[in-house]
Amino acid sequence: MIYLNGKFMPIEDACIPVLDRGFIFGDGVYEVIPAYSRKLFRLAEHLDRLQHSLDGIRLKNPFQNEEWKTILEQIIAQNEGDDQYIYLHITRGVAKRDHAFPVNVPPTVFIMSNPLLPPPSELLASGASAITALDNRWIRCDVKAISLLPNVLLRQLAADVRALETVLIRDGFLTEGAASNIFIVKDKVLLAPPKSHLMLPGITYDVVLELAASNQIPHEIREITESEVRNADEILLTSSTKEIMPITLLDNKPVGSGKPGEIFARLHTLYQHYKATQMRGQLA
Ligand code: PDD
């Protein structure tokens, strides 16, 4: 069951007009929110980021946070699986094709849910492979825009060589992945690129840094050069759907020992534990 403009319906019955500005211009923003045991994970943070994205494209938020919560909980209740991920998508609505904003046009609001499967344990045990590419996206990557053509093309470069992700380098520095945030580890220190308009402020990124801080894992937030990425002891990928994963092969060369490292193992365990306590807290 999906939600479209005020109504719940089976996805097969959902239609949008061809003049929707999401379809014509990619004029909209989105969020991906995980739910574990049918409880939304870090909802407040996801809704704050949604507001930041809406502000970034000058589109009014169609709902208050409490209204979002009610609708998202209804979607979760109507779909199968205890662990799901919500995809929510808002466009500037339906109007005659003209680049400038239409006046008095209601936004299109679409929400769906899919089963959320953790990364396979074999992949966590072996680590994933990634490639690098130049980050050729626009310079508002902090906005979670639905116009994802550059990300799609960059991710496909990885898919073409059966790698999991494309690690992006802009002006000699690490930004993020095509659909994830990237951390490195050097000499037992976890390094994260600083948030800026050149990367999406990941919700999982924040969780990982909080876990590092509260568990005495040495960490630093600073610019990371391409050569530091290439000489890292560990590379980690984070996202709401992939959680935290080790990258053990970069551009066909082993990362560090070529096996998932110690910091990955610690953070992965801490993340699973954190998820479980969050969900228990919400149930209490
Ligand atoms: N993508 N950077 C980019 C470009 C992303 O698309 C994503 C997530 C992230 C990680 O953010 P978070 O931890 O909040 O999921 C970073 C989602 C999952 C997607 O587009 O499907």
Side-chain angles (χ1 to χ4, degrees), residues 166-232:
T166 305
V167 172
L168 304 178
I169 307 287
R170 194 190 288 257
D171 298 331
F173 293 94
L174 169 67
T175 52
E176 58 180 341
S180 59
N181 289 113
I182 303 289
F183 295 74
I184 71 164
V185 176
K186 190 68 187 176
D187 298 332
K188 302 196 186 300
V189 181
L190 177 70
L191 299 173
K195 286 183 187 173
S196 76
H197 57 286
L198 299 180
M199 69 174 238
L200 188 79
I203 306 299
T204 324
Y205 166 103
D206 282 340
V207 175
V208 163
L209 286 175
E210 284 172 27
L211 290 173
S214 52
N215 291 279
Q216 292 78 47
I217 297 177
H219 60 284
E220 248 179 77
I221 301 170
R222 64 156 173 86
E223 300 282 6
I224 299 166
T225 65
E226 176 175 356
S227 100
E228 287 180 302
V229 175
R230 297 199 183 284
N231 293 299

Side-chain angles (χ1 to χ4, degrees), residues 30 32 46 49 137 144 151 176-181 200-205 238-241:
Y30 76 106
V32 174
H46 280 280
R49 186 173 66 185
R137 301 172 301 162
K144 204 160 169 60
N151 303 62
E176 58 180 341
S180 59
N181 289 113
L200 188 79
I203 306 299
T204 324
Y205 166 103
T238 66
S239 85
S240 292
T241 47

Side-chain angles (χ1 to χ4, degrees), residues 46-275:
H46 280 280
L47 291 179
D48 280 352
R49 186 173 66 185
L50 175 65
Q51 186 62 56
H52 175 81
S53 297
L54 287 166
D55 292 345
I57 70 160
R58 297 166 58 188
L59 185 59
K60 189 171 172 286
N61 196 329
F63 298 120
Q64 304 287 326
N65 283 1
E66 272 311 304
E67 296 172 308
W68 277 119
K69 185 162 187 275
T70 306
I71 300 171
L72 299 181
E73 284 174 350
Q74 283 173 292
I75 280 286
I76 291 171
Q78 293 179 52
N79 281 282
E80 280 178 18
D82 287 345
D83 294 350
Q84 302 178 21
Y85 71 91
I86 299 279
Y87 174 85
L88 79 83
H89 171 126
I90 309 167
T91 81
R92 209 180 306 274
V94 181
K96 184 169 173 296
R97 185 179 181 278
D98 178 3
H99 289 61
F101 299 170
V103 180
N104 287 334
V105 166
T108 300
V109 181
F110 166 58
I111 310 171
M112 66 177 168
S113 176
N114 283 291
L116 177 56
L117 305 169
S121 48
E122 312 83 71
L123 197 57
L124 291 176
S126 64
S129 66
I131 59 163
T132 56
L134 291 184
D135 190 343
N136 58 7
R137 301 172 301 162
W138 68 336
I139 50 171
R140 285 306 307 277
C141 298
D142 55 318
V143 171
K144 204 160 169 60
I146 60 169
S147 27
L148 284 173
L149 183 58
N151 303 62
V152 165
L153 294 172
L154 288 163
R155 169 60 75 79
Q156 186 57 35
L157 295 176
D160 287 343
V161 295
R162 292 168 193 259
L164 182 84
E165 183 58 302
T166 305
V167 172
L168 304 178
I169 307 287
R170 194 190 288 257
D171 298 331
F173 293 94
L174 169 67
T175 52
E176 58 180 341
S180 59
N181 289 113
I182 303 289
F183 295 74
I184 71 164
V185 176
K186 190 68 187 176
D187 298 332
K188 302 196 186 300
V189 181
L190 177 70
L191 299 173
K195 286 183 187 173
S196 76
H197 57 286
L198 299 180
M199 69 174 238
L200 188 79
I203 306 299
T204 324
Y205 166 103
D206 282 340
V207 175
V208 163
L209 286 175
E210 284 172 27
L211 290 173
S214 52
N215 291 279
Q216 292 78 47
I217 297 177
H219 60 284
E220 248 179 77
I221 301 170
R222 64 156 173 86
E223 300 282 6
I224 299 166
T225 65
E226 176 175 356
S227 100
E228 287 180 302
V229 175
R230 297 199 183 284
N231 293 299
D233 298 331
E234 295 182 42
I235 301 179
L236 313 181
L237 168 161
T238 66
S239 85
S240 292
T241 47
K242 298 201 164 68
E243 301 184 341
I244 169 164
M245 289 193 53
I247 304 283
T248 46
L249 204 62
L250 186 71
D251 291 335
N252 258 328
K253 295 194 189 77
V255 176
S257 67
K259 296 205 174 71
E262 206 180 297
I263 303 273
F264 161 73
R266 275 193 76 192
L267 284 169
H268 185 258
T269 307
L270 288 166
Y271 193 87
Q272 300 309 316
H273 184 250
Y274 174 80
K275 252 169 47 181

